Amino acid sequence: MTFQSLKFIVFFLCAVIVIFTVPRKAQNTVLFAFNLFFAFFAGGIKTLCFLLVSTISTFFAANFIQKSESMKARKCALAFPFILNLALLFVMKYLAFFTTTANGISKVLGFGFQVETIKIFAPIGISFYTLWMLGYLLDVYWQSYGAEKNFINYAVFATYFPLIISGPIVRFSQMKEEFAKERNLSTENVSKGVLRICWGFFEKMVISDNIAKIVDTIYGNYNEYSGVYILFGTACFAIQLYTDFSGCMDIALGCSKILGIKLPENFDTPFFAKSISEYWRRWHITLGTWFKDYLMYPVLKSRLFIGIAEKSKARFGKKAGKKIPVYCALVILWFSIGFWHGGLWKYIIGSGLLHCFYMICSDALDGVFKKTKVFLHINDGAWWWKLFQMFRTFLLVCSGFVFFRAGGVRHALNMLKNFFKSSNLPLQSFGDLLSASDFSFQKVFVLALALLLLFSVSLIRKIAAKFAENIYEKKTLIFILSVAFVLAIYLFAAAGKTSFIYFQF
């Protein structure tokens, strides 16, 4: 059961009706029941069982940690559910990575042995809910806040159905008050939620699914396309991925808005970023902040890294000595983020280490860049310089997207190699590319208007946030826009049903 299926629409309508019909005190219990129904319908009994194991183990462990006065007991109470849930995640989701990597190393070194890759069922959403439950467990262990004593109050957070498939990755400290407050079915929440849901479907079904055909044509026949076609196909994929994932988030946030529960934003106009670091503060925001808070910062505070910092300062000086442990922690951070994306080297490189390389180079060469700008009399506030920074950042991001979209690392390297070749096809063959992608003039025109609308909405959110909020206050306008989006989806949605890209993670 995916967001764009009729089953989900019926399920959600039933959930809204029942949740706001029962007494206030029973709302969380009913919502928890619907969370379990969704997990079952989306992923079957196995997904439901794994979700409950994670929920129950972290709930009781957190309460035991809070009650324990002995540090040894606290550590044991943390270790058991932590290792259990990480083991489930690694075995179910990432076991194939280790076997295929071992086989590859064996083949390169000529050892001759090959480990059989075992295909194991991966519960839907395990990469997402494992993170927010382990984050809760660590917060209780670090005494950031107390453990939740009411199982239903915790379970409704741990299993919340709008989040379970693709996030955003929430924290109990963010959501506790949202689930505890009194919630009513208001016309304001419904109108705002419906508009956001319609916009999400429009992004996914009109923009992402249509532009995916161009991407599939180029990446599926990359030996025939080179030069500017590779760049064009990758830029199209950047838009495809953004509208697919952002659309999914808009649907999740819109559904939650109707239920009276506010979720954190996961995107903030990422393609307006002027650096890779800024891009990742705007793209998949909750994932990056989770890994920083629960992995990178604890690593930097560990005895090992404190020791590395002291030795680095003694050998290389105070300034350089500070950066070395940070760079090492960044490598761990970005390897983990890339690994989380799917346990494949193409993700580790394209969504992790490549971006880490750009960030470290940017920081290490910051002094050189500043002197160069002074020498060239470049004003940081100049519009053309900001535009150049955005374009440069987009190109660097696209270099990572090549790995993300390609069938593997070798495929990605061949794509990048072909990019630097002169094009096998003249620019006049661009029309042939559109024909091969089943694009008529009408589709090109509609997609161009849709992209213009997407850019306009992003620009308004960026430079006129108050104006965007005022739109939400006009219920008649919201109704007109919602109907317009529904009509556009009906008329111009791509043929066939496709799952959201991040559902696989």
Side-chain angles (χ1 to χ4, degrees), residues 5 14 60 182 226 254 257 285 319 346 363 384 398-399 425 456 474 481 488 504:
S5 67
C14 291
F60 285 104
E182 183 176 352
S226 56
K257 183 68 176 178
I285 299 168
K319 187 176 181 180
K346 68 171 190 171
D363 184 77
W384 66 268
C398 282
S399 68
L425 297 172
S456 301
K474 302 180 186 300
L481 289 173
Q504 62 184 301

Side-chain angles (χ1 to χ4, degrees), residues 72-104:
K72 184 177 180 180
R74 286 168 56 84
K75 288 182 177 179
C76 289
L78 172 69
F80 173 72
F82 204 89
I83 294 172
L84 170 65
N85 283 280
L86 275 185
L88 290 175
L89 175 61
F90 273 74
V91 171
M92 297 296 164
K93 196 80 176 181
Y94 305 119
L95 182 62
F97 167 80
F98 297 102
T99 57
T100 54
T101 300
N103 289 339

Side-chain angles (χ1 to χ4, degrees), residues 273-314:
K274 297 185 288 295
S275 68
I276 292 294
S277 297
E278 184 184 353
Y279 168 82
W280 278 100
R281 291 194 297 271
R282 294 169 173 270
W283 175 283
H284 210 338
I285 299 168
T286 57
L287 177 70
T289 54
W290 191 97
F291 272 99
K292 283 180 182 177
D293 291 345
Y294 297 106
L295 178 64
M296 182 179 174
Y297 298 147
V299 163
L300 284 171
K301 293 177 183 178
S302 67
R303 290 181 181 179
L304 174 62
F305 272 71
I306 291 174
I308 292 174
E310 291 174 353
K311 290 179 181 179
S312 299
K313 289 176 185 177

Side-chain angles (χ1 to χ4, degrees), residues 433-452:
L433 168 63
L434 296 178
S435 297
S437 306
D438 192 28
F439 259 75
S440 62
F441 174 79
Q442 181 190 32
K443 281 189 177 181
V444 172
F445 181 73
V446 169
L447 187 57
L449 288 180
L451 291 174
L452 180 61

